[in-house]
Amino acid sequence: MRWGFRRKLLLATVALVTVALVLADVFLGRTLERELLTRIEQDLQVRLALVTDRVEAAPPPLGDLAAWDALADRTGVAAGGRVTLVARDGKVMGDSDVRLEDLPRVENHARREEVASALASGSGTARRRSSTVDRWMMYAARRSQLDGVVVRLALPLTDLDQARVRLHWLLAGGSILGLGIAFILSALAAQVFGRSLQSVMKAAERIAAGDLEVRLRPDTGDEIGQLGATLDHLTENLSNTLRTLREERDRLGSILEAMEEGVLVVGSNRIITMANPAARVLLLSGATSSTDVEARKAHAGAPLEGRSLLEAVRSSELDQIVGETLEDGEAASGEIAVDRPRARRLLVRSAPLGPSPKGAVVVLVDVTEIRRLESMRKDFVANVSHELRTPVTAVRTALETARDVLAQDPKEADRFLAIVDRHTERLTLLVRDLLDLSRAESGHLALASEPVLVDEVFDEVLEVFRDPAKRRQLRLVDERAADLPPLLADRGALVQVLTNLVENAVKYTDEGGSVTLRAALAGEQIAITVEDSGPGIASKHLPRLFERFYRVDPGRSRDRGGTGLGLSIVKHLAEAMRGSVSVESAPGKGSVFTVRLPRAKAIAAT
């Protein structure tokens, strides 16, 4: 409080002194400038008259620029200024500050203010910065009796600039002196008028700094004593209240920090006023769970507070649930989907904050994994049931029929036994693919990470499919690049990936078509491509092509012996080897599957 009083007095004094000095600077500066300009102009006119007389006394021929420039040089020295001789058409015939060879490049002066005025009325003056000599000048021009030749004299305004500098220095010195006196006087005044409040002010400063143990215990009965006693009572109450609030805050903070559920506090204006770390993880990070410790730390200070609910979460369903609580004052719940930073399913419970209500408390529970597992379980049961039903039914029917015809027609029974064998093989493939996919998805599939030569894998895969391709009259094309570096992968898994892709290409490519295997270096990766000239795949199927049991043409896939799991296995094995798989296709243009795996050199460097 003492320093506030001193500062106020100091600022008031400094402001008055500053205003006075500014006014003095403006007034004195303008006055001095007018006086100096008047004197310079008068002196300029006297010198111009003398120069004009000398020019009219001995004029050279009008076409002789050298003589006119020499005359300008002589008169300029005599007049102590810059002399310019301008013809009636504005052409400069001589200039004491410009060399003779530079005169042709000097621009026409007919439009210069003082020259134009002299041509029109006989004389003229002007003040501006010269573009030729690059400094401020005062100009005076007079029309001579020599066929309209204008004589112009210019003087630099250096005296004016020097006078301004001296004035500014004087004012600066006076300002410093005045400010020093003002500071001393204000400090003395504050000391005199604020001595009786010093103890109260010191105590208030300590209380404001957080020291709630300070007590004044005044022994005077005047107003200062009453103020001190009131301050002691206020400090005691504040200390007790803060102690209670601090304990409750710490307890509540520990609970919110430990919660796996996200908690938001939303005001009546739908502005988020508080968010616990779990809420920030759910709404602002890419973590797979709100229990992700690293994500909770990384996003502990993420900006949710101070933003509107709809802006921060971008979910109209959440905004509607909270809106029901704020409008009706009753709890509301629901399940919402958010797509930032990734797709999530959140169970939302909203409860009113206070009876008004003054806001709402929102609890967010991440049920994404639960819903995903439920969906996977339903899809898996439906797909497996569907896939198993057909071969099991076929086997059962074939066995029953074979039993009936075995005694009557053994050859016909062989046909049904072949059906049983074919569908038994299909069941075996399905169970094998299910086991491979289960191991890949669960992460229990142990894959080696070692350098693998692309040439060896290509030779092995091409050897397997050379005869099947020949039987279907397909061209099996090898377009691997030469001198490819090894890639880092599991050799068996890579062979399985390429086998699945080439097998699909051979199955679904019509006779007379081609299947092409390529391998090329792509930065720090090696891209392996399997391209076929088959019927192609519509764009609507491409996003789901690597899902389990997904088929573009279910009937055709089953007829050709597919289980619907091959591409899903390819995807999981490629990702397990730190790679990726993609597809490009269009109806009638064939399909291109590309597997990208890291180079052994690139991974070893990391």
Side-chain angles (χ1 to χ4, degrees), residues 172-223:
S175 299
I176 294 173
L177 180 61
L179 290 175
I181 295 173
F183 181 82
I184 295 173
L185 293 177
S186 64
L188 292 175
Q191 186 69 23
V192 172
F193 294 112
R195 185 173 299 169
S196 58
L197 297 176
Q198 285 184 357
S199 59
V200 176
M201 288 188 295
K202 290 179 180 179
E205 289 174 357
R206 292 175 61 186
I207 294 171
D211 184 6
L212 299 181
E213 301 300 324
V214 62
R215 298 293 183 271
L216 287 172
R217 298 183 177 86
D219 53 1
T220 60
D222 57 6
E223 289 80 0

Side-chain angles (χ1 to χ4, degrees), residues 135-149:
R135 57 182 175 179
W136 280 94
M137 309 283 287
M138 176 172 281
Y139 299 91
R142 178 177 295 183
R143 187 179 60 203
S144 68
Q145 302 299 323
L146 303 174
D147 194 19
V149 173

Side-chain angles (χ1 to χ4, degrees), residues 41 44-45 48 82-87 90 92 95 106-132 137-144 148-155:
E41 185 175 356
L44 190 61
Q45 292 293 344
L48 178 61
R82 177 188 173 189
V83 173
T84 306
L85 303 177
V86 184
V92 176
D95 194 305
V106 177
E107 64 182 28
N108 193 287
H109 280 38
R111 294 187 178 182
R112 300 293 173 90
E113 180 182 352
E114 69 282 358
V115 175
S117 179
L119 289 172
S121 61
S123 64
T125 58
R127 181 166 57 96
R128 66 174 177 275
R129 191 173 190 85
S130 173
S131 58
T132 305
M137 309 283 287
M138 176 172 281
Y139 299 91
R142 178 177 295 183
R143 187 179 60 203
S144 68
V149 173
V150 174
V151 180
R152 188 184 70 174
L153 178 62
L155 292 178

Side-chain angles (χ1 to χ4, degrees), residues 5 13 46 96 207 292-293 330 360 376 383 390 416 428 481 497 512 545 578 585 606:
F5 176 76
T13 306
V46 173
S96 59
I207 294 171
D292 191 322
V293 176
E330 298 180 358
M376 287 177 59
N383 288 325
T390 300
F416 289 105
T428 302
V497 167
L545 200 59
R578 301 176 65 177
S585 184
T606 61

Side-chain angles (χ1 to χ4, degrees), residues 7-23:
R7 286 174 180 170
K8 289 178 182 179
L9 183 61
L10 177 62
L11 288 176
T13 306
V14 170
L16 290 174
V17 173
T18 302
V19 170
L21 292 174
V22 169
L23 293 176

Side-chain angles (χ1 to χ4, degrees), residues 82-103:
R82 177 188 173 189
V83 173
T84 306
L85 303 177
V86 184
R88 176 180 296 180
D89 58 358
K91 180 180 178 181
V92 176
M93 298 187 298
D95 194 305
S96 59
D97 286 2
V98 179
R99 294 180 302 177
L100 176 62
E101 57 269 21
D102 294 333
L103 282 178

Side-chain angles (χ1 to χ4, degrees), residues 254-262 276-281 285 287 289-302:
S254 299
I255 294 173
L256 292 175
E257 288 278 346
M259 286 181 65
E260 295 183 8
E261 295 80 7
N276 73 334
R280 299 188 185 99
V281 172
S285 80
S289 170
S290 60
T291 59
D292 191 322
V293 176
E294 294 301 324
R296 291 168 74 100
K297 291 180 179 179
H299 294 271

